Each structure stands twice: as structure tokens, then as C-alpha cells.
Amino acid sequence: MRAYIASVVAGSLMLATAAVAATGEYDNMCTMGLAMGKEVKTDCSINGQIGGKTYCFGSEEAKTTFMKDPKGNLAKAEAYHMKKQ
């Protein structure tokens, strides 16, 4: 019984860890939103990796749109973000 309880607890902890959203660039703002000149806060549960960095998106649609031109959209997001600082 003890072993069963221990494995259930361990499994629950693993699931809880997997459910934690990532932390991304731009303080978890939607990167596509920034590219469009908008500030959209996200929980970063939808994200993508580019050049070893994590970028957050407000929706799957925003991520798909961003990934059509990641280099161009990232440049736009960076320019907007720098202007806002």
C-alpha cells in the first residue's frame, strides 16, 4: 500500500510539473501581438522555440501566423518592444 501511494504522489508531481507554462521572452507577451504593435499578455502555454529562446503566443493562430515569417516578425516584435521601453 505504501509503494502504491508513493507512486501516485510521484506521478501527480510529474503531471503538475508538466502543466506549468513556460517563461518566454518579452515578459510573456504574445510575440505576434508585439509584431503587430499590440501588447497581449499570455501565460505562455502556447509557445515556440527560435534560436534557443522561448517565445509566447496568445493563440495557436497567432503562432501559426508568426511562423510564416519568423525572422521578419521577430524583427518587428523586437523593434516595437525596444520602442516601448
Side-chain angles (χ1 to χ4, degrees):
M1 185 66 168
R2 260 189 175 150
Y4 174 76
I5 292 173
S7 64
V8 168
V9 170
S12 296
L13 289 174
M14 286 174 37
L15 285 175
T17 302
V20 174
T23 300
E25 300 293 312
Y26 308 122
D27 193 30
N28 287 359
M29 292 287 186
C30 175
T31 309
M32 188 64 223
L34 293 173
M36 296 171 56
K38 301 175 184 175
E39 294 184 22
V40 180
K41 189 74 173 159
T42 75
D43 65 3
C44 209
S45 59
I46 301 170
N47 61 71
Q49 296 279 320
I50 300 172
K53 294 182 178 180
T54 301
Y55 296 94
C56 306
F57 299 96
S59 67
E60 285 293 340
E61 181 181 4
K63 181 179 177 182
T64 299
T65 301
F66 181 89
M67 291 302 184
K68 289 178 182 176
D69 181 15
K71 188 175 180 180
N73 287 322
L74 193 53
K76 291 177 193 173
E78 181 66 23
Y80 179 79
H81 182 68
M82 294 302 289
K83 186 172 72 171
K84 294 301 286 182
Q85 288 185 337

